[in-house]
Amino acid sequence: MNILLASSEVFPFSKTGGLADMVAALAGALAKEGHEARVVTPLYRGIREKFPAMRKVDWFFHLPLGLKFVQAELWELDVARGLKIYFVDQASYFDRPGIYQEDNFSYADNAERYIFLSKCVVHLARYLAWRPDVVHVHDWQVALVPALLAQQKNEGWGNPPPTVLTIHNLAYQGVFVEQAFALTNLPESFFNTEGAEFFGLLNCLKAGIAYADIITTVSPRYAREITTEEYGCGLDGLLRRRQKDLAGILNGVDYNEWNTTKNPHLFKTYSVGRMAGKKVNKLELQKFFGLPVDAATPLFGTISRLAEQKGVDIQLGALAEMLNTKMQFVLLGSGSPEYERGYRDLVRQFPSKVAVRFGYDETLAHRIEAGCDFFLMPSRFEPCGLNQMYSLRYGTIPIVRATGGLDDSVIDWMQNPRLATGIKFSDYTSRSLAKAIRKALVLFNQPKLLQACRRNAMHADFSWEQTVHNYLSIYHKCTNITSS
Ligand code: ADP
């Protein structure tokens, strides 16, 4: 099949979160299966210098955006057999220091920037000599593509390709003032409660949910959750109406990046059969963080955006309660200054037990995954989550709240001791998390059980080779819908 993907970030060209990893891995896996994947994404600052092999395409965008016309150029990079990336080169929109924001403030023209990107995607879908069988868009930034394609059909393009929208996080919807709708140049008939309108505002993700042929999200449980009022972020009604076209597919893991056997970031490599290396990583990590170096003290870790979604508030509460016992905790995170303060306070309170680093650090992320005994991920909600799956492969027992992809990827010690890969808790409270940490301490003191749990965890397989087939059947399903 020919699949045209579109995303506002793609690893390794741009990344702010799991979206970039997922799109890159999916496109790569499709190409490996013998399909042809092409990805449209912005040419952000610095990409061209880092990837000098890219070529300028003989192509010129000159597209209406409200009352004006905006121009852009196009670059392409062949990444692998069957995988090409198209970069939309519009310097005034994309040649900036940040991707979506600067100094914690979103760019004021984000609607304009990403409506333009969406129009470029539609233009390529229509006019490239290479014809896509499916257009697969990701998140709100390109979620207007299905509506724009529907309008192209109204305007005489006989047979536009079917569309798939993947929601990576329903909490980010791309909501803008009503006037931003004019930038789409869509007829008013698209701006109503069944379409792009959301209480008088433009909601890009909602338009995608309304007009895409199929909607997917990144885990089966999250697909169910978002149809409820509690997790639906105001769109649960529409999602319920589209339930038969809504599917949840758990993200895969790129085990070429995230593994313990061939990994330059680790102090020492290790595997299920050679676990001595894990202990070396633990002792080195304790040393790095300036904590007492002691294999017998259970070490807990977290790597996270410091955002409300990630359960920071209950984690701070649970740690304050539990750190009086024999344990240590390390954190790598970046985000809200208020949460950073919370962790700093914890360090002040327990200086020989807690250590934190703020910022983004890929190497340290691998080292924490390898060096810790337990990984804490108490998210309020979690569409898929990657770190718990990395933890599994690193033999670091994840302690997760039973929500979204966390619930789908971890088997709880109490529910199934024989197959257990981690520890789950349900209530979103510090007390409930503290209880889960207590269970972890019990497990730590039972070496045989701990070993069995680690072995199960390290054998869990979330590779893309499996996941990609789920997407292929979605693509086939939607080509059947539109041709019948
Ligand atoms: P989300 O996309 O909601 O942030 P995921 O768990 O799906 O959460 O993916 C987060 C990705 O970002 C993972 O690859 C994780 O290791 C990485 N990450 C998050 N924070 C940091 C950080 N401070 N330093 C390095 N990597 C980080």
Side-chain angles (χ1 to χ4, degrees), residues 172-185:
Y172 302 95
Q173 300 179 0
V175 176
F176 302 100
V177 292
E178 180 189 354
Q179 289 76 358
F181 179 72
L183 297 170
T184 65
N185 301 88

Side-chain angles (χ1 to χ4, degrees), residues 21 53 57 88 226 279 311 329 408 465:
D21 287 341
V57 183
V88 173
I226 58 178
K279 185 170 155 191
F329 171 72
D408 287 334
E465 284 73 27

Side-chain angles (χ1 to χ4, degrees), residues 15 17-18 21 258 303-305 309-310 332-334 359-362 365 377 382 385-387 390:
K15 171 171 170 176
D21 287 341
W258 293 91
I303 304 160
S304 181
R305 281 188 293 122
Q309 171 197 340
K310 299 294 179 179
L332 169 64
S334 63
Y360 194 90
D361 187 336
E362 195 86 11
M377 210 158 160
E382 194 58 74
L386 291 171
N387 275 309
Y390 300 157

Side-chain angles (χ1 to χ4, degrees), residues 41-44 48 56 61 71-75 86-95 116 120:
T41 196
L43 186 73
Y44 296 112
R48 241 180 71 202
K56 197 164 200 176
F61 296 103
Q71 299 175 347
E73 295 183 329
L74 188 69
W75 295 74
Y86 287 119
F87 296 93
V88 173
D89 182 4
Q90 213 304 330
S92 69
Y93 289 151
F94 302 126
D95 185 7
F116 181 72
C120 292

Side-chain angles (χ1 to χ4, degrees), residues 8-9 15-17 44-45 93-111 113-114 140-141 172 176 305-307 334-337:
S8 58
E9 47 187 281
K15 171 171 170 176
T16 69
Y44 296 112
R45 178 171 295 178
Y93 289 151
F94 302 126
D95 185 7
R96 298 183 183 185
I99 293 186
Y100 309 122
Q101 51 168 253
E102 255 172 73
D103 304 326
N104 275 327
F105 282 101
S106 294
Y107 289 124
D109 59 351
N110 273 347
R113 298 168 78 216
Y114 291 107
W140 73 262
Q141 292 87 349
Y172 302 95
F176 302 100
R305 281 188 293 122
L306 300 181
S334 63
S336 142

Side-chain angles (χ1 to χ4, degrees), residues 298-302 311 314-329 346 374-378 397-400 412-413 422-425 429-445:
L299 177 58
F300 293 72
T302 288
I314 66 166
Q315 186 173 76
L316 286 168
L319 286 171
E321 181 181 335
M322 293 306 298
L323 279 161
N324 289 309
T325 59
K326 183 178 172 184
M327 64 176 279
Q328 296 171 335
F329 171 72
L346 208 60
F374 299 97
F375 191 90
L376 293 173
M377 210 158 160
I397 306 304
I399 299 172
V400 301
D412 179 48
W413 186 37
I423 294 170
K424 290 190 201 176
F425 67 100
T429 57
S430 292
R431 166 167 280 211
S432 205
L433 173 57
K435 201 165 147 196
I437 294 175
R438 223 168 279 130
K439 280 185 200 164
L441 297 176
V442 172
L443 182 61
F444 188 78
N445 288 319

Side-chain angles (χ1 to χ4, degrees), residues 368-385:
I368 290 176
E369 288 289 3
C372 288
D373 299 299
F374 299 97
F375 191 90
L376 293 173
M377 210 158 160
S379 306
R380 184 186 284 275
F381 66 93
E382 194 58 74
C384 176

